Amino acid sequence: MQKIWSGLVVVMSVFLTAAAPVDSGLTIYTEHFPPYSYLASDTVTGLNTELVRLSCEKAGLNCHFLLYPWLRAYEAAQKEPAAAVYSTSRNALREPLFKWVGPLAHSHANMYRLKTRPDINPATLEEAKRYVVAVARGDVYELYLQSQGFEHGVNLLGLTAKADAVGLFLQGKVDLLIGSELILPVWLAKYNETLDSIEPVLDLSVVGANYLALNLAVPNETVEKLQLALDELYSNGEYQRLMQLYIHNNSN
């Protein structure tokens, strides 16, 4: 598996952006990915949004947040010298493509099945190829599963956003759902369902934790300021306050 990931690094490296100066402002892209990022009253918010926003403020940066479909957000952050994107899984595939600040809020992902469908019982990724998995176009899980031999039109269904898979999954039109115990309660609540209706079958924690991924042209000094600011949010109790607001209270 490591050899496959290494090969993909070479392929993906064609997207690297040439170094260029960046001022004190950043355009920060994200996707609709509740509870981490979403629109509320025409404002981008969410747990990781607020972590990044507060980090920008502490670092003295003027950060402008935009919410796009994931593939568009990811590509924009690679092309624009004063740009970044979150919540981005950090792994060997993406490591050389960005500068990194994090980790942000995350929990490791699994493939889940409905408890009412015990026939969906893969014990390995190879066995999971017998079923249909929904992925967001350009998402790290799409790239990872493709690197393991999954194919669109066979066992992958490409969607615009991660959460779009939930309704199809609950209807039995998608066999396996990718998510974590942190985000799935929010997704399922929109359909009046809870974690009690699903169960994990395969661990996908190898894919990586959530980070803020910055264009390679962003100065190291800026990256360091953001990292120090984020570290302070973890140490001063602000992270715990945001967790209470966005996760435990399900306020979004």
Side-chain angles (χ1 to χ4, degrees):
M1 181 177 68
Q2 185 60 43
K3 290 183 179 179
I4 296 174
W5 278 102
S6 298
L8 282 172
V9 170
V10 175
V11 175
M12 291 295 291
S13 64
V14 299
F15 292 105
L16 292 175
T17 303
V22 60
D23 59 19
S24 60
L26 289 174
T27 300
I28 300 185
Y29 295 94
T30 191
E31 64 174 330
H32 178 72
F33 189 20
Y36 297 137
S37 50
Y38 56 93
L39 279 179
S41 302
D42 297 322
T43 300
V44 184
T45 188
L47 174 56
N48 280 342
T49 302
E50 297 312 314
L51 281 173
V52 175
R53 192 190 310 278
L54 289 171
S55 296
C56 286
E57 291 177 3
K58 287 182 175 295
L61 299 173
N62 179 22
C63 295
H64 178 55
F65 289 78
L66 293 174
L67 190 146
Y68 286 163
W70 175 254
L71 187 57
R72 183 179 175 188
Y74 186 78
E75 290 178 345
Q78 291 182 85
K79 293 176 182 177
E80 300 173 19
V85 59
Y86 71 97
S87 302
T88 309
S89 294
R90 183 178 184 178
N91 51 46
L93 173 66
R94 290 171 166 169
E95 185 68 29
L97 306 181
F98 297 98
K99 295 179 180 180
W100 300 90
V101 169
L104 302 175
H106 67 278
S107 59
H108 80 258
N110 295 284
M111 282 187 182
Y112 287 81
R113 70 180 178 190
L114 288 169
K115 287 184 178 178
T116 56
R117 299 189 67 189
D119 55 304
I120 309 298
N121 58 354
T124 64
L125 278 179
E126 191 62 33
E127 292 180 4
K129 292 176 186 177
R130 302 197 301 258
Y131 308 104
V132 177
V133 187
V135 290
R137 288 286 189 180
D139 182 66
V140 69
Y141 293 104
E142 177 190 49
L143 297 175
Y144 175 67
L145 293 178
Q146 285 178 320
S147 79
Q148 302 303 303
F150 286 73
E151 301 177 57
H152 284 285
V154 178
N155 40 33
L156 287 182
L157 176 64
L159 303 172
T160 301
K162 299 177 180 71
D164 291 347
V166 180
L168 297 172
F169 172 73
L170 294 173
Q171 296 169 34
K173 296 179 180 179
V174 169
D175 300 318
L176 293 163
L177 178 67
I178 297 175
S180 72
E181 291 188 356
L182 193 60
I183 63 173
L184 284 171
V186 178
W187 290 0
L188 292 167
K190 298 181 184 301
Y191 299 89
N192 297 314
E193 294 284 355
T194 68
L195 285 175
D196 291 336
S197 65
I198 66 176
E199 56 190 0
V201 291
L202 284 177
D203 187 321
L204 295 179
S205 57
V206 66
V207 174
N210 290 330
Y211 278 72
L212 174 67
L214 298 105
N215 187 282
L216 291 173
V218 176
N220 290 336
E221 180 183 1
T222 299
V223 178
E224 291 166 4
K225 287 180 178 179
L226 284 168
Q227 186 65 61
L228 288 172
L230 179 63
D231 291 345
E232 184 179 343
L233 295 177
Y234 281 108
S235 64
N236 67 9
E238 189 64 20
Y239 171 75
Q240 290 75 14
R241 184 189 71 81
L242 291 172
M243 280 287 290
Q244 184 67 35
L245 178 62
Y246 287 98
I247 304 299
H248 301 308
N249 291 342
N250 289 324
S251 62
N252 56 310

